[in-house]
Amino acid sequence: MSALTELRIPRLGSVENAKLVAWRVSEGEAFRKGEVLYEIETDKTLTEVEAETDGVVARQVAKEDAELKVGDLVGWAADLGTDAETLTKLVSQLTSTARSTEQRKPQPSAEGGQPASTPPLVRISPRARRLAKEQGVDLSVASSSAHGDRVSGEDVLRFAKKPESTGHGIAGYENVPGEVVINSSRRRAIARRLSESVRTAPHLTADMQIDLTELMSARAARNADLKSAGHPSLSILSYVAHAVTHLLPMHRSLNATFTEAASVLWEPVNLGIAVDTEDGLVVPVIRNAQRKTVEELNSAIAQVAEKARSGAISQDALEGGTFTISNPGSIGPVLRAEAILNPPQVALLGLPGVQYLPVALEANDYKIEVRPVLRASLTFDHRALDGGQVIRFLNALRDRLERPGAGA
Amino acid sequence: MSLKESQVMGYNAAMGLGLTEEMRKDERIFVLGQGMVNGGWFGTERGLINEFGPERVLDTNISEAFQAGMTAGAAIAGLKPVINMGFGDFALIAGDEIFHKLAKWRYMHGVRAPMTAVVIFPIGVIGGAGPEHSSCTEVLGMHFPGLKVVVPSTPADAKGLMKAALREPNPVIYHSIQSLGWVKGEVPLDPDFVVPLGQAAIRREGTDATVVTYGSMVQRCLEAADTLADADISLEVIDLRSLVPLDWGTVLTSVRKTHRVMVVHEAVKTAGAGAEIAAYIMEEAFFELEAPVLRLGALDVPLPQNARLEQLCIPSVPAIVAEARKLVAI
């Protein structure tokens, strides 16, 4: 008789938390190696977990929507071809031993990284436990409103009170109706990372006005050629990204990670592109962007953005960024694109979109003309960088974008 | 004729007043102990010799075992002896007579008649009396079934509990509080004023946490509550007044209100009354609690002779404040 094998949440980059979104193979159903067994949502993305061998799902231990950790047991599989009777027998032998929450065994990563750290402990007071039971309040939901790592009876009572209208538990707004939307793990991750970033890195932003007259005409000519050849046209973002990624190797302190003891100057420019999705901001990474042409960057950006929006982006593609470009101007004509740093990076370029503005032209005796202008904002970690380095970089960026024919 | 309803007097004097009033009513009551003829060690029995004479006010030799043995014998014979042990630590010499004879004879010998006896058993620091004269051993009375145990914290209670003890059919360990002996307070003059055994007093109402205390620590807990009120922390202070029987009803009602409790006493923390109180609350009201029941008691050391060092060993107002802050922060 064959034995059962464990199905556990595989290691996914640096991710710790994972929510089981859906099983793709039901209990008793057979699967082939490489077939998708289940989908999980991590802090950063939706991921499909594929079978490593052929087999049959004997038992689904984790239910859909279960909040899990890397290494958690989600189910048991049997050898392919195991008949139903044997499956039942095997499963019944399990029930005394298997539990999804125990035996948390993180599998070592390929790089031999450290095991996932233990989950943060939430203390639920005895009174909170009793009240939750009496009032039918889900403690995992109540705990989201608790202060810090403790759930008190008051937290539970706040949730138990008229859940329709005042379940939000916001003090002072008990009588204000409102809908409670539970935050997705991605939203929570964004909140955590951004708060952490603001708390640890002193942010400063320098703005630079860049006249895109020449670039716009060069781009128009280039796009006309591309269009006649049946290729997609190039975005302004691609030009800016190209300029940035080719300048960063000469301004290495901006393509870096800061720790108190040392700064790491990264060799490649792994460019993060902030992508607005329905479920919050995602920053896919284009590796070795400094080697890419404008056309290559243009298609790489389109590709990762599309993947991020459809949720098909893999965990790997979200990691290892060294510099980020945020392009809120693509959504609407914002006036300024200051942003919060994407840790552990030390600099981020925000693009508010091109606007036609009156510009007093120095070269033309300060005559005022309406020009296409980009007011780029460079937000940086003042621990790692001083204004001088940043402004030198912005000067170089401006020179390069204002005279597209001059440089490489 | 108009009579004053109350009078300001000291704690020991109020005990004496309760004793005097009951002796006037009940001829079976008599007092014994060292120095009784001269008013007792701490003035409680002052003047008794003049009013009741040497028949009912007996000066005994320095033998605690003899005094307590006579007490047990007189009690089982139907008299109502009151014995003052002086310093409570000396009562340990009479441990057999108090914790076996007095505590158990009614049970052992099937005594259906009352067996009234009051053992005045002073406890606590009195300003540098040293390690053998300052103990708080009230937990012993809780540990020998058959005894009642009272710990009055005010002059009024000192009188009222003395009177209740003398009307109680079982032997009572009356723990007078040494540090309160000369503390003054209003004492009702009504000869029918009695503080029933087993009835706690809520000395201050509050909502954030309950402080269960008694004896010398009541006043300190009230001062701590005053301090914390400025920080918007509202403490409820319960003065137990009796340890046996203990007013669990009042304690648990308060726990169900505040959901946080600490016990404060002058006795050493380890295996003190607070251990029993904390354990009982957790057994009876665990699912009312937001936090573990905390205990604050004396350090586990023999008390120093030096009065200032002595104070460092027992809970101070700032220590109570700090512990209460810790409790409400959990």
Side-chain angles (χ1 to χ4, degrees):
Chain A
M1 190 161 74
S2 65
L4 293 180
T5 52
E6 295 174 341
L7 299 172
R8 287 184 183 274
I9 300 210
R11 178 164 282 276
L12 312 146
S14 60
V15 165
E16 276 182 32
N17 299 308
K19 179 166 151 184
L20 191 117
V21 177
W23 278 95
R24 291 278 194 82
V25 182
S26 25
E27 286 186 359
E29 200 181 324
F31 55 83
R32 293 281 178 186
K33 181 180 176 182
E35 199 175 321
V36 176
L37 288 175
Y38 53 91
E39 276 175 54
I40 52 175
E41 183 188 346
T42 70
D43 293 349
K44 293 176 180 174
T45 186
L46 271 175
T47 299
E48 296 175 330
V49 177
E50 296 172 354
E52 287 169 7
T53 56
D54 297 347
V56 183
V57 172
R59 178 123 190 275
Q60 295 172 351
V61 176
K63 299 294 167 222
E64 291 180 356
D65 286 338
E67 303 275 357
L68 302 163
K69 301 261 171 202
V70 165
D72 273 354
L73 186 72
V74 294
W76 295 88
D79 293 344
L80 195 63
T82 309
D83 61 61
E85 196 186 333
T86 316
L87 268 186
T88 319
K89 208 177 289 174
L90 287 168
V91 168
S92 68
Q93 288 167 358
L94 269 182
T95 43
S96 55
T97 54
R99 283 256 180 86
S100 70
T101 49
E102 58 190 30
Q103 311 166 353
R104 185 162 287 154
K105 269 194 268 171
Q107 288 143 2
S109 66
E111 305 85 58
Q114 73 277 35
S117 60
T118 46
L121 213 71
V122 176
R123 289 179 207 280
I124 300 163
S125 80
R127 178 168 172 250
R129 277 184 202 286
R130 175 178 60 81
L131 288 171
K133 204 170 164 188
E134 285 171 6
Q135 316 255 358
V137 170
D138 179 352
L139 274 169
S140 62
V141 176
S143 65
S144 66
S145 82
H147 37 282
D149 56 355
R150 294 198 167 95
V151 181
S152 70
E154 295 311 309
D155 295 324
V156 173
L157 287 176
R158 269 209 303 281
F159 254 82
K161 243 192 296 171
K162 292 189 212 146
E164 311 292 292
S165 58
T166 61
H168 48 65
I170 309 295
Y173 288 73
E174 288 78 3
N175 299 318
V176 183
E179 186 191 354
V180 176
V181 182
I182 302 299
N183 291 327
S184 65
S185 37
R186 176 177 294 167
R187 192 74 250 160
R188 289 185 216 180
I190 291 171
R192 198 169 54 236
R193 285 168 63 94
L194 293 188
S195 308
E196 176 72 15
S197 176
V198 168
R199 198 164 56 244
T200 55
H203 284 56
L204 215 56
T205 300
D207 298 346
M208 182 66 78
Q209 176 157 303
I210 303 169
D211 182 339
L212 294 186
T213 309
E214 284 188 38
L215 184 99
M216 296 288 271
S217 56
R219 171 174 168 256
R222 181 90 187 102
N223 276 347
D225 291 350
L226 288 168
K227 199 177 174 189
S228 57
H231 293 302
S233 56
L234 303 175
S235 64
I236 303 272
L237 172 63
S238 304
Y239 278 95
V240 177
H242 183 256
V244 164
T245 53
H246 287 74
L247 284 170
L248 281 174
M250 290 172 272
H251 298 264
R252 297 178 69 200
S253 57
L254 278 76
N255 191 53
T257 285
F258 175 84
T259 68
E260 206 165 308
S263 286
V264 184
L265 308 179
W266 301 111
E267 292 285 340
V269 177
N270 290 343
L271 181 67
I273 298 287
V275 178
D276 173 61
T277 76
E278 272 183 26
D279 193 29
L281 206 60
V282 179
V283 187
V285 174
I286 299 166
R287 271 160 227 287
N288 286 308
Q290 80 282 9
R291 292 188 199 149
K292 295 195 191 301
T293 63
V294 179
E295 285 82 356
E296 285 166 346
L297 277 170
N298 195 63
S299 69
I301 290 169
Q303 210 172 63
V304 295
E306 172 50 32
K307 274 193 176 173
R309 288 198 182 97
S310 67
I313 195 106
S314 73
Q315 194 62 46
D316 285 351
L318 297 175
E319 300 198 335
T322 61
F323 186 94
T324 294
I325 292 180
S326 168
N327 187 29
S330 67
I331 303 170
V334 290
L335 292 182
R336 209 161 163 254
E338 190 175 25
I340 292 173
L341 292 169
N342 184 12
Q345 300 165 24
V346 296
L348 178 149
L349 188 71
L351 306 175
V354 178
Q355 295 182 62
Y356 285 83
L357 296 173
V359 177
L361 299 164
E362 190 184 350
N364 202 359
D365 209 10
Y366 295 102
K367 211 180 122 200
I368 292 175
E369 274 183 33
V370 172
R371 291 286 183 96
V373 162
L374 177 69
R375 284 178 172 165
S377 291
L378 197 122
T379 299
F380 61 98
D381 182 344
H382 210 333
R383 293 175 305 174
L385 294 164
D386 295 323
Q389 293 152 291
V390 169
I391 292 162
R392 277 190 285 277
F393 170 77
L394 283 171
N395 281 338
L397 181 67
R398 188 194 55 195
D399 288 349
R400 195 178 171 108
L401 290 172
E402 290 193 344
R403 291 180 288 129
Chain B
M1 186 175 80
S2 80
L3 283 174
K4 274 205 299 182
E5 285 188 0
S6 68
Q7 187 185 323
V8 173
M9 65 176 78
Y11 179 100
N12 286 342
M15 277 167 66
L17 178 61
L19 190 51
T20 306
E21 286 177 4
E22 291 304 300
M23 286 178 81
R24 285 174 188 153
K25 275 199 209 168
D26 190 337
E27 290 204 333
R28 290 170 296 177
I29 301 172
F30 72 101
V31 301
L32 72 158
Q34 295 160 36
M36 285 298 110
V37 168
N38 298 319
W41 284 70
F42 303 111
T44 299
E45 295 84 3
R46 184 167 296 153
L48 290 184
I49 184 72
N50 300 331
E51 182 168 351
F52 301 106
E55 288 280 297
R56 294 176 70 191
V57 181
L58 310 185
D59 231 353
T60 57
N61 56 346
I62 305 181
S63 170
E64 286 75 12
F66 159 75
Q67 296 159 20
M70 181 175 172
T71 300
I76 202 167
L79 293 175
K80 292 186 168 186
V82 178
I83 176 179
N84 193 327
M85 304 306 302
F87 283 94
D89 293 78
F90 302 163
L92 300 181
I93 300 163
D96 179 61
E97 286 72 21
I98 296 170
F99 298 110
H100 293 313
K101 305 319 188 244
L102 277 172
K104 298 171 181 175
W105 272 0
R106 259 194 115 190
Y107 169 79
M108 287 170 66
H109 301 300
V111 178
R112 286 178 196 281
M115 191 175 150
T116 299
V118 176
V119 180
I120 299 175
F121 193 132
I123 54 171
V125 301
I126 192 172
E132 295 181 341
H133 296 73
S134 309
S135 308
C136 285
T137 50
E138 65 273 19
V139 74
L140 293 175
M142 300 172 78
H143 204 65
F144 286 88
L147 298 169
K148 301 289 169 79
V149 180
V150 299
V151 276
S153 73
T154 66
D157 283 358
K159 178 189 176 191
L161 284 165
M162 176 59 77
K163 291 168 73 79
L166 287 165
R167 299 176 187 190
E168 163 67 33
N170 293 290
V172 175
I173 306 284
Y174 185 107
H175 289 300
S176 59
I177 310 301
Q178 290 286 46
S179 57
L180 300 179
W182 291 275
V183 167
K184 288 191 160 46
E186 288 282 338
V187 176
L189 296 176
D190 178 0
D192 290 325
F193 165 74
V194 165
V195 174
L197 302 188
Q199 213 174 78
I202 297 174
R203 297 292 184 199
R204 182 188 178 112
E205 293 203 11
T207 52
D208 294 331
T210 299
V211 182
V212 178
T213 186
Y214 57 86
S216 60
M217 289 294 133
V218 173
Q219 190 53 40
R220 291 187 182 190
C221 289
L222 289 171
E223 284 169 34
D226 277 342
T227 305
L228 287 167
D230 295 338
D232 262 350
I233 295 171
S234 161
L235 294 188
E236 178 143 305
V237 178
I238 295 179
D239 176 2
L240 289 174
R241 304 202 285 192
S242 296
L243 294 175
V244 181
L246 203 149
D247 187 355
W248 293 116
T250 296
V251 172
L252 293 177
T253 300
S254 182
V255 171
R256 291 189 178 102
K257 180 169 91 173
T258 65
H259 312 291
R260 288 180 163 81
V261 203
M262 60 190 271
V263 188
V264 181
H265 55 51
E266 188 188 320
V268 288
K269 179 175 172 181
T270 302
E276 172 60 26
I277 294 164
Y280 188 90
I281 291 168
M282 285 193 271
E283 283 172 352
E284 295 297 319
F286 184 71
F287 291 102
E288 290 292 341
L289 294 174
E290 292 288 5
V293 181
L294 301 183
R295 291 175 293 150
L296 193 57
L299 304 180
D300 287 347
V301 294
L303 286 169
Q305 182 91 45
N306 179 295
R308 290 182 69 176
L309 290 179
E310 177 185 84
Q311 284 300 319
L312 296 178
C313 296
I314 66 174
S316 63
V317 174
I320 298 166
V321 167
E323 195 74 356
R325 280 186 183 281
K326 186 171 120 190
L327 177 64
V328 296
I330 293 173

